[in-house]
Structures are given as C-alpha cells and as structure tokens.
Amino acid sequence: MLEDILIGVDIKYPNLPFAKAFEVEIYPMKLSPKMSEELKEEDKNFYKYIENFLLNKGVLYHIEYNLINEDFKGYIKDIDENYTLQDSTKLRLLLQKATFKGSGELLAPKELSSKVKSFEFDVVKNERSFNILLHKFKSSSNFESLHTYVTSVDVESLLLKLKEIDADVTISMKKLRTNASSNDQDLKTQLNSKTSIKSLEYSSLESKFSMKKFNFDIALNALEKKKYENLMGILSDTNNALSPKSSQKLQKAIVELLSKGVVLEIADFSVKEFSTEVYKNIKGFEMHSTLRVIEDKNLAQKIQISPVLAIGDLSLVSEIRISKELYTKLKENNIMLTRMDGYEKEDGDDYIFALEFVDTQASINGKSIN
C-alpha cells in the first residue's frame, strides 16, 4: 500500500546542532502510480480531491527530537474531511489533538506515550453505513529490554456501528482499560495482562446484551527464561510459519517450556451485572483460579505415548462465586449444568463452587466428582 508513495520531509535545525531540538515534519505528497491509476478509473474527482489534500499536507507528522538526551515529542495535524463519491457514498474522517512523546530511537523508542482526543470514520450510502467513534484514547509503553516491558491503553469511549439491509449492529464501550507487562526474575519470566470495561452494550436485529464492570486479570508465572525466549523466537519467525517443519518445531518448544513448570493464575475474572432482552440487571459472577504444570523432564515422552499420562502433572485450585439468579438462568439454557446440583454451597444470594484437582483427584466443595 505504501510502496512508491512520494514522501516529503522538512527539517529545521539550529546552527549549533546540540543547542536545540531538531524539528522534522513528514508528510505523504503523492500516491503511488498504481494507486493513482486505480483511483482515477474508479472516481476521477475523488482522485483530484486526494491529490490536492496530500499536496496541502493533509496528513502531517510533526516531531521535535533532542540529539543529546534522545527525548522527542510531536503531533499529527488535525484532520476534518468530508467527501461524497460519485456513487453517492459519503465519507468522513476526523482526527483531533493526536500527540505523542517519548525517549530513545524514533523507530525503536524505550518510552512512548500518545493521546488522541477524538477519532471518527464514517461511510454512508443509502441505507448502509459503517461508523467508528473513539474518544479520549491514551497509550503508554516502557521497554526496558526485549522481554521486560510495560504497556497500557485507556479509551474513554468507543462506538462501532454497522448497518446493512438485513443487519444493524451496535457495540458501545465506556472506560476500556488494558495493560500488559513482562519481566525477568533471575532465570524466570513473568507475563501479566489486565483488562477492565466499565460498561459494554451490544445490540443487533436478533439480540441485545449489556454488562457492567468487567474485569480480567491473568498472569503466567515461573516461565523458564531460555525456553520462553526460544518459543518467542519461533513465533516471531514468519518465514516458515505455515510449514509442517515449523509447526513441529513450535510444538516441541511449547512442550519443552511446560516441562520446566508453569503457573497460570487468574486473579480476577468477573462481571458485576448482566442484562439481555429477556433478563434485566442480573447479578454476575467472579472467579479466581490457579493452574500449575509441575516440572517434569519426562513430559515430552509422556505426551508422545499418550497425553492422558500428563494429567498427573496438572493441579488446579479454583473458586467461582455466581449469583443464584444467574446460575438459575444458565441452567435453563444448559442442561449440563444440572449435573452440578448438590455440589453448590450457599452464601447469601450467591452459590460458591470451590474446585480442586490434585493428584488426578477432583472435588467441588470437598465432594469428590471422580
């Protein structure tokens, strides 16, 4: 898509290079010959509009870079464009107050944060439309090394709409927060991920659904560092990603990593409240779990003979607290849950299911299910 596009660069610098930051402005000036010809054939007027838009620096990155401390900051020029194609399709693109700052090399910064006040993209033709609206986006990343980093994204609100003749889908989210991190501890690596959503609403011609206060906090601990780095190296190698040899290599790396022992911990998986077209304001659930894969140098051999032999290397401790109302509604639509009758433990308006699987023996609230 970007091949053969003409890029313009303006550089402003002082006579003493280290006295002030360099100012650089980067902007596409002209589409590639191939894209230009295709656009001319489809809609000549739109081609002229895009050509004029680019010549006037419609898309522009402004960067100020300090050579001494490698700090930088900048912005993307605001965009507010509307256009109607020859087939009556209406286009709208809005970008307001997109800024960024960081430290390190521009193409591989050690620190980077960005903000966008508003982003909107609309395509409308007759009864069909597609809309994206994002408000108050923030992101930040800190890369200490390849395997030690912290990154986060905050979105105040996000709205997606798709309308067709036989479809009308709307997804709305408020206060989306997500972060991920990785850090090395001696010979071990730890991965963490946490996501929260204050509210989410989904609607279509067939159904409606909403939830409040969704949380998902998960960690992968005690990963053997060298085995993990080997696995990441294989995953990042896209040259032979689809080959049978690469698949075998990947499978082997996963088993080798698991054979050194792994701990998967779900600190919080919960939803405070659900609503559907039929059921309103149903109290939700929360779950906490710890899954351990015990270190076993013979794991690969066991899996090769029969995966069932590896079950003894697993242990699970989990507790699920679910509202009685939600549990009753779920049983109405899933007959399999009736098998849990008699195992539940009452606690006010909730049921508690404490599951343990240790030494191939499983129990719920102390009652064996083997």
Side-chain angles (χ1 to χ4, degrees):
M1 183 176 177
L2 297 177
E3 187 176 357
D4 295 330
I5 287 181
L6 182 64
I7 302 293
V9 179
D10 296 337
I11 303 176
K12 181 180 178 181
Y13 58 92
N15 291 332
L16 297 175
F18 299 100
K20 293 177 64 178
F22 279 66
E23 293 187 29
V24 182
E25 292 190 340
I26 304 171
Y27 46 91
M29 297 178 63
K30 193 173 183 180
L31 299 175
S32 69
K34 182 180 179 181
M35 289 183 67
S36 296
E37 289 302 318
E38 291 177 353
L39 204 53
K40 283 180 185 178
E41 292 179 6
E42 293 180 10
D43 192 329
K44 191 173 182 178
N45 290 330
F46 185 52
Y47 165 74
K48 290 181 179 179
Y49 170 79
I50 293 295
E51 185 179 43
N52 185 64
F53 175 69
L54 295 179
L55 286 175
N56 286 284
K57 301 181 181 179
V59 179
L60 181 144
Y61 292 82
H62 177 92
I63 303 169
E64 297 175 22
Y65 189 78
N66 190 306
L67 289 173
I68 297 177
N69 57 22
E70 295 189 323
D71 287 344
F72 62 87
K73 63 180 181 179
Y75 61 84
I76 302 175
K77 180 182 175 182
D78 283 0
I79 299 173
D80 190 354
E81 296 291 323
N82 295 274
Y83 190 83
T84 302
L85 300 174
Q86 63 183 14
D87 65 355
S88 299
T89 299
K90 295 180 180 180
L91 304 176
R92 172 166 172 74
L93 177 62
L94 174 72
L95 179 67
Q96 290 183 324
K97 294 186 178 180
T99 62
F100 58 89
K101 63 180 180 179
S103 180
E105 298 180 13
L106 289 176
L107 296 180
K110 294 180 180 179
E111 297 179 12
L112 177 64
S113 62
S114 62
K115 293 181 180 180
V116 176
K117 181 181 179 181
S118 296
F119 172 80
E120 184 177 352
F121 178 65
D122 301 325
V123 181
V124 180
K125 182 181 180 181
N126 300 327
E127 296 180 0
R128 299 180 176 182
S129 64
F130 175 69
N131 314 94
I132 300 176
L133 178 59
L134 182 150
H135 185 60
K136 289 188 179 180
F137 168 91
K138 294 192 299 182
S139 71
S140 65
S141 299
N142 188 313
F143 297 95
E144 185 176 321
S145 68
L146 184 61
H147 300 291
T148 300
Y149 60 83
V150 177
T151 181
S152 65
V153 172
D154 287 3
V155 178
E156 188 69 20
S157 64
L158 175 64
L159 179 66
L160 301 175
K161 285 187 175 183
L162 174 64
K163 188 174 183 180
E164 296 281 351
I165 296 175
D166 57 351
D168 191 350
V169 178
T170 300
I171 300 174
S172 174
M173 281 189 287
K174 291 185 178 180
K175 293 190 182 298
L176 168 65
R177 308 282 187 261
T178 181
N179 63 67
S181 64
S182 171
N183 62 78
D184 294 335
Q185 299 175 342
D186 298 324
L187 300 177
K188 300 292 184 179
T189 297
Q190 178 177 321
L191 306 177
N192 297 276
S193 177
K194 185 175 183 179
T195 299
S196 66
I197 301 173
K198 183 178 181 180
S199 65
L200 182 146
E201 295 182 1
Y202 169 87
S203 67
S204 68
L205 295 176
E206 295 79 21
S207 62
K208 290 184 178 181
F209 169 81
S210 67
M211 65 180 183
K212 294 181 180 180
K213 293 189 177 180
F214 167 85
N215 289 290
F216 187 58
D217 187 353
I218 187 170
L220 201 54
N221 302 319
L223 297 168
E224 205 276 336
K225 186 176 179 180
K226 290 185 178 180
K227 300 297 183 184
Y228 171 71
E229 291 178 355
N230 178 54
L231 175 60
M232 290 298 100
I234 295 172
L235 290 173
S236 64
D237 183 7
T238 58
N239 294 328
N240 301 306
L242 300 178
S243 68
K245 184 177 180 180
S246 178
S247 297
Q248 293 174 3
K249 191 175 181 181
L250 177 61
Q251 183 178 0
K252 181 182 178 182
I254 293 173
V255 173
E256 287 180 348
L257 176 63
L258 293 176
S259 69
K260 293 296 182 178
V262 175
V263 179
L264 175 66
E265 184 175 2
I266 300 176
D268 183 13
F269 176 35
S270 61
V271 175
K272 185 176 182 179
E273 187 177 284
F274 288 95
S275 287
T276 66
E277 287 182 297
V278 180
Y279 308 118
K280 306 297 183 182
N281 305 323
I282 299 175
K283 184 181 175 183
F285 69 91
E286 60 181 85
M287 182 180 77
H288 315 281
S289 295
T290 300
L291 173 66
R292 297 179 185 274
V293 180
I294 303 168
E295 183 175 355
D296 185 354
K297 63 180 180 180
N298 298 316
L299 181 61
Q301 184 179 356
K302 289 180 178 179
I303 292 176
Q304 189 174 11
I305 297 172
S306 173
V308 176
L309 297 176
I311 293 179
D313 291 334
L314 301 177
S315 68
L316 173 68
V317 177
S318 180
E319 181 176 292
I320 302 173
R321 176 182 289 269
I322 184 170
S323 70
K324 292 179 179 178
E325 185 179 15
L326 177 58
Y327 183 67
T328 301
K329 302 302 182 186
L330 290 174
K331 283 205 303 180
E332 291 175 359
N333 298 296
N334 190 338
I335 194 170
M336 294 291 291
L337 283 179
T338 58
R339 297 183 180 182
M340 303 294 289
D341 290 345
Y343 289 98
E344 67 271 20
K345 178 181 177 181
E346 292 190 45
D347 185 11
D349 295 330
D350 301 328
Y351 287 131
I352 296 177
F353 295 90
L355 171 65
E356 287 192 11
F357 180 79
V358 180
D359 295 330
T360 70
Q361 302 296 311
S363 65
I364 297 178
N365 290 328
K367 298 179 180 180
S368 175
I369 59 174
N370 290 85

